[in-house]
Amino acid sequence: HGRNGRRGVRLKGGDPFVFGRGGEEALALADSGIPFELVPGVSSIAAVPESVGIPVTHRGVSSMVTAFAANDVEKLDAAALARIPGTLVAFMGGAVVGRLAERLIEHGRAAGTPAAVISSGTTEQEQVVTAPLGAIAAAARNLPTPALVVIGEVVAVRDALSALRRSAA
C-alpha cells in the first residue's frame, strides 16, 4: 500500500521494539523507501506487572530488571539467569513456565523465590497467579497464553499492596 501512495497502520499492543518485531518492520519500510512514523508504546515489561500490583523495581528489594524471551527455554543461559540479581521478566513464558522454573532452580535460583504468571495482561481477561518458583507451574497450569512471567522478590510486594489497593469496581 505504501508503494502505491496509500497510508497504512500497523497497530501493535505494547512497545513494538520490545519483542514485537517493530525494528524488523521499520527496516523493511526503510529499505523499500516507504516513509513511516513510529509511535512509541508502553512496554509490557512494566505495564503488565504494574497492572496487577507488581513493581518491577522497588527500593531495597530490586534495583535491576532483566527481560528475556522464554519461548525457546532450552536455549536460554539458565545458569546466568539464575545468578542475576533483581527481577526477571520472561516474555512468552506462560507455556514454558514449568521448565523455566526447573532450569532456574537447577542452576541455583531458590525454589522459594516469589513468582507470578500474568495472562492476558492489561485486558479484561487478565488473570494472575503467584506462588514460589518451585510451585508456579502447578499454580499457573490453567492460565491461557499469552502470559508474562515475573520472578523475584518484587512479586511479594504485591501482597502488601493488594491489602490497600482500591478496587477498579
Side-chain angles (χ1 to χ4, degrees):
H1 290 284
R3 287 186 184 118
N4 294 323
R6 290 186 227 128
R7 291 180 181 227
V9 173
R10 165 70 162 98
L11 184 60
K12 172 79 175 127
D15 183 338
F17 278 20
V18 179
F19 301 115
R21 295 195 173 94
E24 296 168 31
E25 294 173 6
L27 285 172
L29 291 169
D31 288 347
S32 297
I34 299 171
F36 60 92
E37 176 184 3
L38 297 172
V39 178
V42 177
S43 176
S44 57
I45 189 175
V48 170
E50 184 177 331
S51 74
V52 298
I54 300 171
V56 292
T57 63
H58 189 76
R59 188 185 312 264
V61 177
S62 175
S63 61
M64 186 172 163
V65 181
T66 302
F68 58 96
N71 54 323
D72 194 348
V73 72
E74 298 305 327
K75 288 188 178 177
L76 292 173
D77 187 346
L81 287 171
R83 289 190 308 269
I84 293 175
T87 307
L88 299 178
V89 178
F91 286 74
M92 299 166 279
V96 297
V97 67
R99 184 64 181 134
L100 175 61
E102 287 174 2
R103 294 202 64 220
L104 291 172
I105 292 166
E106 285 171 8
H107 290 284
R109 196 74 171 216
T113 304
V117 177
I118 308 156
S119 172
S120 300
T122 73
T123 72
E124 290 181 4
Q125 294 77 36
E126 178 179 83
Q127 298 176 57
V128 61
V129 297
T130 61
L133 186 59
I136 194 65
R141 73 177 163 269
N142 294 322
L143 288 184
T145 57
L148 193 77
V149 178
V150 181
I151 301 166
E153 297 301 324
V154 292
V155 175
V157 174
R158 179 178 192 267
D159 294 334
L161 291 177
S162 64
L164 300 172
R165 192 170 171 210
R166 288 191 333 192
S167 168

